[in-house]
Amino acid sequence: MNELYLALGFYALLVAALGVGLAGYLRLSREIDRLRRELARTPPPAAPAARPVRSIDVPDRERILRLDRRGEAPATIAAALGVPSNVVEFTLKVDRLKTPA
């Protein structure tokens, strides 16, 4: 699709900058119209699919808590276990709320 935009821009620039004759202008105008119609028929690119968030199970939760007790940062824990850092942070917050001070 970007190629079509590039071609449209190129032809418009050619007509404006080079001052081609009437026959050249008409030919380029038809080509621009053809590219516009083709562009209108081209579907927009699909949005990239979102990656599914990996949930954690009890062993993962225990590993998160163990690594936290060892002083590892949440980002390091997330990278080591292959889970999103917000899942690690949430797990640690829930554990701190459960554990009496």
Side-chain angles (χ1 to χ4, degrees), residues 9-59:
F10 172 75
Y11 285 124
L13 180 65
L14 184 64
V15 168
L18 299 180
V20 295
L22 181 59
Y25 172 78
L26 292 175
R27 187 177 68 252
L28 290 174
S29 180
R30 285 191 299 270
E31 180 67 12
I32 288 171
D33 289 340
R34 183 189 70 76
L35 289 170
R36 282 188 179 137
R37 285 191 304 275
E38 186 177 337
L39 183 61
R41 287 191 310 264
T42 305
R51 292 186 319 157
V53 176
R54 180 180 172 283
S55 62
I56 62 169
D57 52 14
V58 173

Side-chain angles (χ1 to χ4, degrees), residues 23-97:
Y25 172 78
L26 292 175
R27 187 177 68 252
L28 290 174
S29 180
R30 285 191 299 270
E31 180 67 12
I32 288 171
D33 289 340
R34 183 189 70 76
L35 289 170
R36 282 188 179 137
R37 285 191 304 275
E38 186 177 337
L39 183 61
R41 287 191 310 264
T42 305
R51 292 186 319 157
V53 176
R54 180 180 172 283
S55 62
I56 62 169
D57 52 14
V58 173
D60 284 336
R61 182 181 173 283
E62 291 170 356
R63 285 186 201 106
I64 290 171
L65 298 176
R66 187 174 351 143
L67 290 169
D68 180 59
R69 280 192 295 271
R70 278 204 250 161
E72 297 291 339
T76 305
I77 297 170
L81 300 180
V83 296
S85 59
N86 62 342
V87 171
V88 172
E89 291 166 1
F90 179 75
T91 303
L92 295 174
K93 283 180 186 179
V94 169
D95 186 65
R96 288 183 185 116
L97 289 173

